[in-house]
Amino acid sequence: MSVRNQRPTYGEVPYTPLLPWQVRERRFKPAGFGRRGLEPDHVYAFLDRVAVDMAAVYAALAASRREAACARDALRRQQSDHADRGSEA
C-alpha cells in the first residue's frame, strides 16, 4: 500500500505531497569541518530539476482533471438529452 493511501493513526501528521516550490526552496546544512558531504551547488541544481519536473507533472494532472470534468459534463448532457427524448415518446 502506498504512503498516500494509508490513514494516519492518532497523533500522526497526515501525508501531504510536496509542492515544487517546497523542493526548490529546501536547504541543507553543510557538512561540518573535516567531514565529507555533498557539494551544495550540485544538490541545489538537482532540486531545481526535480521542482521543474514536479511542476510539469502537476500541470499535466490539472489538465487531465479539466479534461475529465469536460467529459463528465458532456456525458451528463448526453444522458439528459437521451432521457428527455425517451419521455417525449
Side-chain angles (χ1 to χ4, degrees):
M1 183 185 303
S2 75
V3 173
R4 197 175 280 230
N5 294 331
Q6 291 177 350
R7 297 182 70 152
T9 59
Y10 179 76
E12 280 187 31
V13 177
Y15 174 81
T16 54
L18 287 172
L19 299 173
W21 69 266
Q22 291 172 311
V23 173
R24 190 175 284 116
E25 297 297 319
R26 179 72 167 112
R27 295 297 177 244
F28 300 91
K29 286 180 166 179
F33 180 73
R35 296 182 61 197
R36 293 183 179 170
L38 301 174
E39 182 65 41
D41 291 338
H42 293 167
V43 172
Y44 299 138
F46 176 77
L47 291 177
D48 285 340
R49 286 185 58 195
V50 170
V52 167
D53 289 348
M54 286 178 68
V57 168
Y58 277 99
L61 178 61
S64 174
R65 286 180 174 161
R66 284 191 302 272
E67 185 178 334
C70 288
R72 280 192 304 272
D73 291 343
L75 180 60
R76 285 186 189 120
R77 282 192 303 274
Q78 182 184 21
Q79 289 171 336
S80 177
D81 291 346
H82 183 70
D84 289 344
R85 282 190 217 128
S87 64
E88 291 174 359

